[in-house]
PDB file of all heavy atoms in Angstrom:
ATOM      1  N   LEU A 253     195.717-136.545  33.112  1.00 97.00           N
ATOM      2  CA  LEU A 253     195.747-137.553  34.175  1.00 97.00           C
ATOM      3  C   LEU A 253     194.437-138.313  34.300  1.00 97.00           C
ATOM      4  O   LEU A 253     194.422-139.426  34.822  1.00 97.00           O
ATOM      5  CB  LEU A 253     196.045-136.885  35.526  1.00 97.00           C
ATOM      6  CG  LEU A 253     197.475-136.871  35.999  1.00 97.00           C
ATOM      7  CD1 LEU A 253     197.537-136.385  37.421  1.00 97.00           C
ATOM      8  CD2 LEU A 253     198.099-138.273  35.894  1.00 97.00           C
ATOM      9  N   SER A 278     199.073-133.203  29.037  1.00 97.00           N
ATOM     10  CA  SER A 278     199.345-132.268  30.124  1.00 97.00           C
ATOM     11  C   SER A 278     200.649-132.663  30.784  1.00 97.00           C
ATOM     12  O   SER A 278     201.181-133.740  30.547  1.00 97.00           O
ATOM     13  CB  SER A 278     198.202-132.271  31.124  1.00 97.00           C
ATOM     14  OG  SER A 278     198.097-133.569  31.709  1.00 97.00           O
ATOM     15  N   GLN A 292     204.376-132.135  25.489  1.00 95.00           N
ATOM     16  CA  GLN A 292     203.678-131.388  26.522  1.00 95.00           C
ATOM     17  C   GLN A 292     203.165-130.076  26.019  1.00 95.00           C
ATOM     18  O   GLN A 292     203.876-129.334  25.356  1.00 95.00           O
ATOM     19  CB  GLN A 292     204.603-131.157  27.717  1.00 95.00           C
ATOM     20  CG  GLN A 292     203.933-130.437  28.859  1.00 95.00           C
ATOM     21  CD  GLN A 292     204.901-130.064  29.963  1.00 95.00           C
ATOM     22  OE1 GLN A 292     205.741-130.892  30.318  1.00 95.00           O
ATOM     23  NE2 GLN A 292     204.788-128.864  30.493  1.00 95.00           N
ATOM     24  N   THR A 296     205.096-124.531  30.220  1.00 85.00           N
ATOM     25  CA  THR A 296     206.451-125.055  30.109  1.00 85.00           C
ATOM     26  C   THR A 296     206.585-126.072  28.990  1.00 85.00           C
ATOM     27  O   THR A 296     207.578-126.768  28.882  1.00 85.00           O
ATOM     28  CB  THR A 296     206.909-125.670  31.453  1.00 85.00           C
ATOM     29  OG1 THR A 296     205.860-126.495  31.953  1.00 85.00           O
ATOM     30  CG2 THR A 296     207.209-124.606  32.469  1.00 85.00           C
ATOM     31  N   SER A 311     192.302-131.200  33.414  1.00 97.00           N
ATOM     32  CA  SER A 311     191.515-130.325  34.300  1.00 97.00           C
ATOM     33  C   SER A 311     191.464-128.880  33.816  1.00 97.00           C
ATOM     34  O   SER A 311     190.511-128.169  34.056  1.00 97.00           O
ATOM     35  CB  SER A 311     192.103-130.367  35.720  1.00 97.00           C
ATOM     36  OG  SER A 311     193.444-129.962  35.688  1.00 97.00           O
ATOM     37  N   GLN A 315     198.400-123.231  33.862  1.00 88.00           N
ATOM     38  CA  GLN A 315     199.630-123.492  33.103  1.00 88.00           C
ATOM     39  C   GLN A 315     199.327-124.263  31.809  1.00 88.00           C
ATOM     40  O   GLN A 315     200.097-124.204  30.851  1.00 88.00           O
ATOM     41  CB  GLN A 315     200.659-124.282  33.920  1.00 88.00           C
ATOM     42  CG  GLN A 315     201.198-123.537  35.111  1.00 88.00           C
ATOM     43  CD  GLN A 315     200.401-123.776  36.377  1.00 88.00           C
ATOM     44  OE1 GLN A 315     199.351-124.420  36.338  1.00 88.00           O
ATOM     45  NE2 GLN A 315     200.863-123.234  37.472  1.00 88.00           N
ATOM     46  N   ASN A 330     185.454-134.319  30.167  1.00 98.00           N
ATOM     47  CA  ASN A 330     185.856-134.407  31.568  1.00 98.00           C
ATOM     48  C   ASN A 330     184.672-134.880  32.386  1.00 98.00           C
ATOM     49  O   ASN A 330     183.538-134.451  32.154  1.00 98.00           O
ATOM     50  CB  ASN A 330     186.340-133.020  32.067  1.00 98.00           C
ATOM     51  CG  ASN A 330     187.171-133.126  33.333  1.00 98.00           C
ATOM     52  OD1 ASN A 330     186.695-133.675  34.321  1.00 98.00           O
ATOM     53  ND2 ASN A 330     188.354-132.589  33.290  1.00 98.00           N
TER      54      ASN A 330
HETATM   55  C1  LIG C   5     205.802-124.205  37.054  1.00 67.62           C
HETATM   56  C2  LIG C   5     204.715-125.075  36.536  1.00 67.62           C
HETATM   57  C3  LIG C   5     204.608-125.260  35.173  1.00 67.62           C
HETATM   58  C4  LIG C   5     203.609-126.076  34.651  1.00 67.62           C
HETATM   59  N1  LIG C   5     203.538-126.239  33.302  1.00 67.62           N
HETATM   60  C5  LIG C   5     202.553-127.005  32.801  1.00 67.62           C
HETATM   61  C6  LIG C   5     202.402-127.158  31.380  1.00 67.62           C
HETATM   62  O1  LIG C   5     203.160-126.624  30.575  1.00 67.62           O
HETATM   63  N2  LIG C   5     201.377-127.906  30.935  1.00 67.62           N
HETATM   64  C7  LIG C   5     200.490-128.522  31.761  1.00 67.62           C
HETATM   65  O2  LIG C   5     199.585-129.207  31.274  1.00 67.62           O
HETATM   66  N3  LIG C   5     200.615-128.403  33.094  1.00 67.62           N
HETATM   67  C8  LIG C   5     201.623-127.666  33.624  1.00 67.62           C
HETATM   68  N4  LIG C   5     201.741-127.560  34.950  1.00 67.62           N
HETATM   69  C9  LIG C   5     200.914-128.432  35.806  1.00 67.62           C
HETATM   70  C10 LIG C   5     199.502-127.902  36.009  1.00 67.62           C
HETATM   71  O3  LIG C   5     199.528-126.985  37.110  1.00 67.62           O
HETATM   72  C11 LIG C   5     198.542-129.040  36.344  1.00 67.62           C
HETATM   73  O4  LIG C   5     199.032-129.745  37.440  1.00 67.62           O
HETATM   74  C12 LIG C   5     198.359-130.012  35.185  1.00 67.62           C
HETATM   75  O5  LIG C   5     198.069-129.339  33.993  1.00 67.62           O
HETATM   76  C13 LIG C   5     197.224-130.968  35.542  1.00 67.62           C
HETATM   77  O6  LIG C   5     197.203-132.003  34.606  1.00 67.62           O
HETATM   78  P1  LIG C   5     195.880-132.789  34.332  1.00 67.62           P
HETATM   79  O7  LIG C   5     194.776-131.868  34.016  1.00 67.62           O
HETATM   80  O8  LIG C   5     196.201-133.841  33.330  1.00 67.62           O
HETATM   81  O9  LIG C   5     195.653-133.537  35.720  1.00 67.62           O
HETATM   82  P2  LIG C   5     194.595-133.263  36.893  1.00 67.62           P
HETATM   83  O10 LIG C   5     194.679-131.897  37.371  1.00 67.62           O
HETATM   84  O11 LIG C   5     194.797-134.371  37.859  1.00 67.62           O
HETATM   85  O12 LIG C   5     193.194-133.421  36.210  1.00 67.62           O
HETATM   86  C14 LIG C   5     192.653-134.603  35.736  1.00 67.62           C
HETATM   87  C15 LIG C   5     191.289-134.260  35.217  1.00 67.62           C
HETATM   88  O13 LIG C   5     190.716-135.424  34.637  1.00 67.62           O
HETATM   89  C16 LIG C   5     189.353-135.517  35.025  1.00 67.62           C
HETATM   90  N5  LIG C   5     189.030-136.942  34.933  1.00 67.62           N
HETATM   91  C17 LIG C   5     189.298-137.949  35.811  1.00 67.62           C
HETATM   92  N6  LIG C   5     188.884-139.103  35.341  1.00 67.62           N
HETATM   93  C18 LIG C   5     188.332-138.864  34.143  1.00 67.62           C
HETATM   94  C19 LIG C   5     187.756-139.689  33.144  1.00 67.62           C
HETATM   95  N7  LIG C   5     187.669-140.997  33.250  1.00 67.62           N
HETATM   96  N8  LIG C   5     187.301-139.094  32.021  1.00 67.62           N
HETATM   97  C20 LIG C   5     187.389-137.760  31.857  1.00 67.62           C
HETATM   98  N9  LIG C   5     187.935-136.946  32.759  1.00 67.62           N
HETATM   99  C21 LIG C   5     188.408-137.489  33.883  1.00 67.62           C
HETATM  100  C22 LIG C   5     189.314-134.935  36.386  1.00 67.62           C
HETATM  101  O14 LIG C   5     187.981-134.455  36.656  1.00 67.62           O
HETATM  102  C23 LIG C   5     190.289-133.805  36.295  1.00 67.62           C
HETATM  103  O15 LIG C   5     189.697-132.607  35.875  1.00 67.62           O
HETATM  104  C24 LIG C   5     202.717-126.744  35.502  1.00 67.62           C
HETATM  105  C25 LIG C   5     202.832-126.552  36.871  1.00 67.62           C
HETATM  106  C26 LIG C   5     203.818-125.760  37.387  1.00 67.62           C
HETATM  107  C27 LIG C   5     203.925-125.573  38.866  1.00 67.62           C
END
Side-chain angles (χ1 to χ4, degrees):
Chain A
L253 264 190
S278 62
Q292 182 186 318
T296 45
S311 59
Q315 294 91 354
N330 197 304

